Amino acid sequence: MPRLKLGVLISGRGSNLQALIASCADPSFPAEIVIVVSNKSDAKGLDHARAAGIATAVVEHGGYRNRESFDRAVHDVLVGEGAELVCLAGFMRLLSSWFVETWHDRIVNIHPSLLPSFKGIDAHAQAIAAGAKLSGCTVHIVRAEMDAGPILVQAAVPVLPGDDEDSLAARILTMEHKCYPLAVKLIAEGRVQIDGDTAIIDMPGDTDDHIISPSVR
Ligand code: GAR
C-alpha cells in the first residue's frame, strides 16, 4: 500500500518532527515525510531532517508582503514534493484562511493542552494558573481559528503540586511524541472520518481506562 506523504512545517526545536521521523523509519508505518519546511533558517529541527536524509526547505516570512503570499510559497513547496498531509510541528505562525481552505481537512497540528482548554502560546502557564489537575496534549485537524478543529488524539497527564512551566511541558512533551505518530497512523489507515467540527475515529473495542488526578490511593 502506498504510504501517505507528509509535509512537516516547523519553526524551532523539532522534537515532534523527530518523533515522526522515528515512526516513519519503520517500513510498516503507513506514512513517510517527503519535505520539512521551516520559516526559520536556524530551526534546530532542520538538522533532524537532514540527518535522516529528508528534503528540507526554508521559506522565511520576512521576504513576503503578507501572510497569504508566504503561505502560497509554502504551498508551492509542499505541492512540488507531492505532500498529501500537512503536519504542523511547532510551527509558530498563523495560517491564512486561503491555506487552511486549500488544504481543508488535510492539515494537522499538535498543541500542549487538552483543547479546547488553554489555547495559544502559553498553554502550560495557563494550566498551572487555572489550578488544573490534568493537562495534556491534543492532535487536531486545523481550522482557520487558532488551536481549533476536529480532535483526533489526546493524552492526559497530571499537573503535580510544585510544577512549573518547564516540568509540566516536559511531562506533556513525552505524550506529544506518542500522540502525533498515532494520529498520523490513524489518518493514513483511513480510520478518521471528519464530520463538521468533530472527528470520528474507527477504533476496535473500548477500554475502561481512566485517569484521576490526584490519584486515589
Ligand atoms: C510543542 O510542545 C507543541 O505542542 C507546541 O510547540 C512545541 C514544539 O516543540 N505547539 C504549540 O504550542 C502550537 N500552538 P517541538 O519543536 O520540539 O516539536
Side-chain angles (χ1 to χ4, degrees):
M1 204 160 120
R3 304 170 91 195
L4 183 68
K5 294 181 167 54
L6 311 178
V8 184
L9 271 51
I10 63 168
S11 296
R13 180 178 57 183
S15 71
N16 279 291
L17 165 65
Q18 184 60 52
L20 290 171
I21 290 172
S23 296
C24 292
D26 177 348
S28 70
F29 191 76
E32 62 179 324
I33 302 172
V34 294
I35 182 75
V36 172
V37 183
S38 175
N39 65 320
K40 299 208 166 149
S41 59
D42 60 353
K44 277 264 174 292
L46 288 169
D47 297 336
H48 299 319
R50 291 182 189 121
I54 296 167
T56 61
V58 174
V59 184
E60 284 181 302
H61 50 262
Y64 295 88
R65 61 193 149 79
N66 58 33
R67 197 173 289 282
E68 187 176 312
S69 58
F70 167 80
D71 287 0
R72 283 180 185 270
V74 172
H75 168 85
D76 288 346
V77 172
L78 292 166
V79 170
E81 299 291 339
E84 299 167 306
L85 181 74
V86 179
C87 298
L88 308 182
F91 183 67
M92 294 307 186
R93 269 183 72 81
L94 279 179
L95 293 165
S96 61
S97 51
W98 174 81
F99 189 92
V100 174
E101 286 316 314
T102 301
W103 290 86
H104 187 70
D105 287 350
R106 294 184 299 144
I107 313 170
V108 287
N109 180 44
I110 186 153
H111 182 75
S113 75
L114 292 173
L115 291 174
S117 291
F118 312 137
K119 298 175 179 180
I121 51 167
D122 55 353
H124 309 102
Q126 291 182 55
I128 291 169
K133 300 296 178 274
L134 286 169
S135 190
C137 63
T138 303
V139 185
H140 65 97
I141 299 283
V142 169
R143 294 286 184 255
E145 187 196 330
M146 185 183 61
D147 297 328
I151 292 170
L152 300 168
V153 175
Q154 292 185 305
V157 303
V159 183
L160 298 176
D163 261 342
D164 60 16
E165 283 179 57
D166 290 344
S167 59
L168 179 58
R171 194 174 306 121
I172 291 174
L173 195 63
T174 305
M175 291 297 114
E176 294 187 39
H177 298 161
K178 293 180 190 294
C179 288
Y180 217 157
L182 173 59
V184 168
K185 183 173 189 288
L186 291 169
I187 293 171
E189 290 176 347
R191 288 157 70 182
V192 174
Q193 186 196 325
I194 307 298
D195 181 13
D197 289 334
T198 61
I200 300 155
I201 314 289
D202 172 21
M203 281 187 298
D206 225 343
T207 74
D208 59 0
D209 285 350
H210 60 266
I211 301 167
I212 299 177
S213 177
S215 61
V216 183
R217 293 196 205 283

